[in-house]
Amino acid sequence: MEEEDIKLIFGLKLRQIRTDKNLSLFGLSKLTGLSKSYLNEIENGKKYPKPDKIVTLSEKLDIPYDQMVSLKLDKNLAPIGEILKSKILKEIPLELFGIKESDLIDIVSNAPAKVNAFISTIIEIAQHYNFSRESFFLASVRSFQEANNNYFDNIEQKVLDFVKSYQINQGQGISSNELEEILIEEYNYTIKNDELDKHKDLDNLRSVFIPKSRSLLVASDVDESQRTFIYAKEIAYNYLEITERLYTFPWILFETFDQVLNNFYASYFAGALIIPSKNLTTKIKDIFKERTFQKDTFEHITNEFNASPESFYQRLTNILPKEFNIKNLFFLRFTHKLNDTKFHLTKELHLAHQHAPRANESDEHYCRRWVSLQVLKDLSKSSENSKFDLQISNYENEGVRYLVLSTATKDPFKENKFRSISIGLLINKQLERKIKFLKDPNIPTRNVGVTCERCAIIDCEVRQAPPKVLDRTSKNKKIAAIVKQLNDEH
């Protein structure tokens, strides 16, 4: 354990012992002969007393010396000790969020009981929902994205520098061959397209990088857009001089938070390289100024770039906040198996605030009225490779509406498995000014909920479960009203 943490633990223990004995700092100062300011610095984790001072504290407080210096905390403060020992605060770059570790230490020192209660609550919730270290890191990255409106000007500039340096014409679209040449000539890569096929257990991986031989193993069945994205990420790791990185795509193992964060940076670079900001902005402006939604034009744009629908929608979450000042939006990725009744929300991003469609781990049923799920069902019954649709989702209970665009595609690696990518824009006066086609009568409007268990829509034709959570809440409100009435009458 680091010295700062040892100081903090000693200070927490001293404060707890003092308060248990109903002593003020002034009283402890009189009892021990140590100055009040000195004791205050100890309790705040800023100083660790010398052995003779610990002896004095031990004798005057009637606490064994060994207990005073032990790093073991009693049950009231144990969760704080676990957090410090776990090094989780060291793994997360707090400076990204404008937080200093010393600030956290001061908070813990000044209100240990309250902080302990908060940490215990977080741990209990995490355990209840099986919240893993991986989930925690991913949530931290999402928070970082949200705090920056998912736009990172420094990476955008790095992409422009790279394009200029390597004389790449983004306007004509970038091919995997072009990027492969750079990896081989500039970064001494060896590309192998048949190695992964020899290992059945690696069938879920699209690429593996072997740093020792600088070999990039790519699955033979990846399509052109996936291969281009893989190459673009590898270029990002090298051009951005990232050493703390992940070696598989999709990633399966990680050791530090920096690896997870750098994976995001590399993915962002790849998206910005393949889908140039200026080009996409111009095309989206053209769509927004039309009085009716030009479905064919939008689908053409999604296919115009050498990118998957997911990369395209992800890029929209960068461009819309920056170039159009549309920050109230969400991004969702659902997966679905043929003949399965479950839909799984595997990726999400919420800018500005937590929007209505969000992941739940309580085994509830997502609203089947969402266009995100409808396109999945439509594609599973179709021989087509993709399905696109849009709708205005009206959340009556929450008093909000969203314009939601969604594209479903077949999973290229798993038979009878599908995924949908969606972006939702909160409809307000600002959006109505920016998007002229919002009043297009051909865009369907549907009343939706979040999950069936919390939905008040009566006689829903696609309901999967009764609104038990809503019923329970309603019942509790009635009970509370009756109790209040009884109190008023008596």
Side-chain angles (χ1 to χ4, degrees), residues 206 221 223 226 409-415 417 419:
R206 301 178 193 179
D221 52 355
D223 62 25
Q226 292 165 340
T409 59
K410 293 181 179 180
D411 191 317
F413 292 93
K414 296 180 180 178
E415 191 175 354
K417 192 168 183 181
R419 64 176 62 186

Side-chain angles (χ1 to χ4, degrees), residues 223-390:
D223 62 25
E224 168 61 13
S225 64
Q226 292 165 340
R227 183 177 293 274
T228 302
F229 185 78
I230 290 168
Y231 288 171
K233 276 189 70 173
E234 289 300 322
I235 285 174
Y237 281 129
N238 288 274
Y239 190 73
L240 299 177
E241 298 181 343
I242 293 172
T243 55
E244 193 82 359
R245 59 162 291 178
L246 300 169
Y247 296 101
T248 65
F249 177 65
W251 55 278
I252 52 174
L253 295 174
F254 66 94
E255 295 177 355
T256 67
F257 176 76
D258 279 345
Q259 289 177 327
V260 179
L261 181 63
N262 288 335
N263 177 72
F264 163 71
Y265 285 146
S267 298
Y268 189 105
F269 182 100
L273 176 61
I274 298 167
I275 307 175
S277 171
K278 186 176 180 180
N279 195 342
L280 180 59
T281 299
T282 300
K283 295 178 184 300
I284 295 300
K285 281 181 179 178
D286 290 340
I287 288 180
F288 281 2
K289 69 183 181 183
E290 296 291 339
R291 294 288 176 179
T292 57
F293 180 70
Q294 303 299 310
K295 181 178 178 181
D296 291 342
T297 303
F298 182 81
E299 289 191 271
H300 175 74
I301 293 172
T302 61
N303 297 319
E304 185 176 336
F305 300 99
N306 189 10
S308 67
E310 180 166 350
S311 293
F312 178 80
Y313 279 80
Q314 285 272 23
R315 191 64 176 136
L316 285 178
T317 68
N318 308 140
I319 300 305
L320 292 177
K322 173 64 177 179
E323 302 298 338
F324 297 86
N325 198 32
I326 298 174
K327 298 176 181 177
N328 279 290
L329 61 82
F330 63 79
F331 168 93
L332 305 175
R333 180 181 69 199
F334 278 95
T335 60
H336 176 63
K337 291 181 181 179
L338 187 67
N339 299 323
D340 190 358
T341 58
K342 290 284 187 180
F343 293 84
H344 303 279
L345 181 49
T346 55
K347 195 171 187 177
E348 62 180 318
L349 179 70
H350 301 264
L351 298 189
H353 61 83
Q354 279 292 104
H355 301 278
R358 52 188 174 269
N360 75 80
E361 300 295 336
S362 53
D363 204 30
E364 295 181 23
H365 297 77
Y366 294 112
C367 178
R368 294 320 197 247
R369 292 171 170 236
W370 291 350
V371 68
S372 306
L373 305 191
Q374 188 60 52
V375 290
L376 280 171
K377 289 189 288 185
D378 291 344
L379 183 62
S380 67
K381 299 174 183 177
S382 167
S383 60
E384 298 178 68
N385 291 321
S386 66
K387 279 281 186 181
F388 169 80
D389 207 348
L390 78 166

Side-chain angles (χ1 to χ4, degrees), residues 7-71:
K7 290 179 183 178
L8 177 59
I9 285 178
F10 188 91
L12 290 171
K13 292 181 73 170
L14 179 60
R15 180 179 301 212
Q16 186 177 46
I17 293 168
R18 173 175 65 78
T19 53
D20 286 347
K21 293 182 177 293
N22 294 320
L23 281 170
S24 65
L25 265 179
F26 181 84
L28 182 60
S29 175
K30 287 193 68 174
L31 180 66
T32 60
L34 304 175
S35 72
K36 181 181 172 183
S37 60
Y38 178 65
L39 291 170
N40 186 55
E41 286 185 303
I42 293 174
E43 288 194 358
N44 285 325
K46 295 177 180 177
K47 283 190 177 179
Y48 192 88
K50 293 181 179 178
D52 61 317
K53 301 295 193 295
I54 298 176
V55 169
T56 299
L57 289 167
S58 171
E59 291 176 350
K60 297 299 182 181
L61 292 170
D62 193 25
I63 300 293
Y65 182 95
D66 290 345
Q67 185 177 331
M68 290 287 293
V69 298
S70 170
L71 296 178

